[in-house]
Amino acid sequence: EDKVVQSPLSLVVHEGDTVTLNCSYEVTNFRSLLWYKQGKKAPTFLFMLTSSGIEKKSGRLSSILDKKELFSILNITATQTGDSAVYLCAGDEAYGQNFVFGPGTRLSVLP
Amino acid sequence: DTAVSQTPKYLVTQMGNDKSIKCEQNLGHDTMYWYKQDSKKFLKIMFSYNNKELIINETVPNRFSPKSPDKAHLNLHINSLELGDSAVYFCASSQDETGIYEQFFGPGTRLTVL
């Protein structure tokens, strides 16, 4: 059965800290991995990763995919209180299961 | 056990047709949602619904209508399908509508309008 596992499930840090969120996946016919940030409203899209070893960056956020070891990490440097949210990763299958979402990592950034 | 399920997973249809996508959650949640994923992978909320209230994103055409036969189901009905409706549609549920609790997502339905 396809599944996506995220760790940690919950994380509390202070402003300025750097965090690494983990996502491992077992998705048949894997096509890509997506990261979303979910606050109180709709999830906002962060990254789509299809190729192994190529880092994607957006401001203080960066992510990389390892298709051999079947995982991805999301890094956030110099965290801010506005980074507090649930971070979701989802595996996209070419056909069949469609998207498999992980349980999310709840990040709390304290002032 | 599947927490949030959608059917069908794939839907290919002609312009002008009417179609429905079903969503069911077995989590006992009070609030359910429909999202449309655009070509850039952004998720746009279409509706949120709980026992008390239906909240509609005003940008959603009125050809789209949610129907909830009971608390565990929120189906999406689309009339007069257009080419631009082609997308992946996600259903999600959460414990309540406050935004405090995580949303659990279904696998998505890939809709292709020809």
Side-chain angles (χ1 to χ4, degrees):
Chain A
E1 184 182 338
D2 291 348
K3 64 179 179 181
V4 172
V5 177
Q6 292 185 244
S7 64
L9 294 180
S10 180
L11 187 57
V12 180
V13 300
H14 287 90
E15 272 192 315
D17 289 348
T18 293
V19 298
T20 298
L21 310 183
N22 303 294
C23 174
S24 63
Y25 64 90
E26 293 176 26
V27 176
T28 310
N29 300 307
F30 173 82
R31 173 159 55 187
S32 62
L33 188 127
L34 287 75
W35 282 97
Y36 289 93
K37 174 184 178 183
Q38 181 168 32
K40 291 195 172 183
K41 298 184 179 180
T44 54
F45 171 71
L46 297 175
F47 299 108
M48 183 173 78
L49 305 160
T50 54
S51 300
S52 219
I54 299 175
E55 185 183 50
K56 290 205 171 183
K57 291 197 70 162
S58 176
R60 296 177 294 103
L61 278 66
S62 64
S63 184
I64 197 163
L65 176 68
D66 185 329
K67 291 171 79 170
K68 181 178 177 184
E69 301 297 330
L70 307 183
F71 78 89
S72 174
I73 59 172
L74 175 68
N75 280 319
I76 309 175
T77 59
T79 51
Q80 303 171 357
T81 54
D83 296 328
S84 296
V86 175
Y87 290 83
L88 296 167
C89 79
D92 177 14
E93 198 208 24
Y95 37 80
Q97 181 63 28
N98 286 340
F99 289 84
V100 183
F101 280 85
T105 293
R106 180 179 287 277
L107 174 66
S108 299
V109 181
L110 305 178
Chain B
D1 288 343
T2 303
V4 182
S5 59
Q6 296 179 227
T7 54
K9 291 179 181 173
Y10 288 91
L11 185 53
V12 181
T13 188
Q14 299 283 337
M15 251 175 37
N17 285 347
D18 302 339
K19 290 292 179 185
S20 291
I21 307 172
K22 295 184 178 181
C23 176
E24 176 181 1
Q25 53 96 2
N26 61 8
L27 298 165
H29 287 167
D30 282 337
T31 304
M32 297 182 73
Y33 310 81
W34 276 104
Y35 291 90
K36 179 180 180 181
Q37 185 192 54
D38 66 16
S39 57
K40 296 182 179 180
K41 307 300 182 184
F42 289 99
L43 291 178
K44 297 181 179 178
I45 191 164
M46 302 176 71
F47 306 100
S48 68
Y49 181 79
N50 61 24
N51 289 332
K52 308 163 205 163
E53 174 174 35
L54 172 66
I55 299 174
I56 302 172
N57 184 326
E58 61 186 16
T59 66
V60 175
N62 58 15
R63 298 181 295 103
F64 291 79
S65 57
K67 299 187 191 305
S68 181
D70 55 58
K71 187 174 140 175
H73 296 84
L74 184 67
N75 303 325
L76 181 65
H77 190 74
I78 316 169
N79 290 327
S80 303
L81 278 156
E82 300 177 358
L83 295 176
D85 297 333
S86 295
V88 180
Y89 292 84
F90 287 99
C91 174
S93 73
S94 65
Q95 190 162 327
D96 63 28
E97 75 281 9
T98 60
I100 297 173
Y101 298 99
E102 291 90 326
Q103 294 181 18
F104 291 77
F105 283 82
T109 295
R110 294 184 195 269
L111 171 65
T112 302
V113 182
L114 303 175

